[in-house]
Amino acid sequence: MLATQERLRENGNTIVVWHKAAEPEHCNGECDWHPIACSDTDGIAAPGPLKDVPLSLDEPGQRWCTDCRALTAT
């Protein structure tokens, strides 16, 4: 699934939280901002290009946004 990343600090570590891209067709790989599926108003600033991220993500230090992941189940 095409996703954009958010970097967060948790317990002194940086983790990557993946968000489902709300409008992937508008990404040219040089975007300043990506809208995310779990919010009508929020997005990720300076995210870089979208990435195809598996729903069964098992990379250390990475996880799906809980709300974005739930949207894929419907």
Side-chain angles (χ1 to χ4, degrees):
M1 172 175 316
L2 289 176
T4 186
Q5 62 177 296
E6 175 182 20
R7 294 187 177 273
L8 298 175
R9 297 282 295 168
E10 286 186 358
N11 302 321
N13 297 312
T14 300
I15 64 160
V16 173
V17 177
W18 292 99
H19 292 271
K20 179 180 177 184
E23 299 173 357
E25 66 276 5
H26 295 292
C27 179
N28 64 6
E30 298 179 17
C31 303
D32 293 351
W33 187 82
H34 283 148
I36 52 179
C38 61
S39 175
D40 291 334
T41 56
D42 293 333
I44 305 298
L50 295 177
K51 181 178 176 183
D52 191 14
V53 179
L55 293 175
S56 58
L57 182 65
D58 63 355
E59 296 290 325
Q62 298 184 34
R63 65 176 171 84
W64 273 99
C65 159
T66 305
D67 292 336
C68 286
R69 183 67 174 88
L71 289 171
T72 65
T74 58

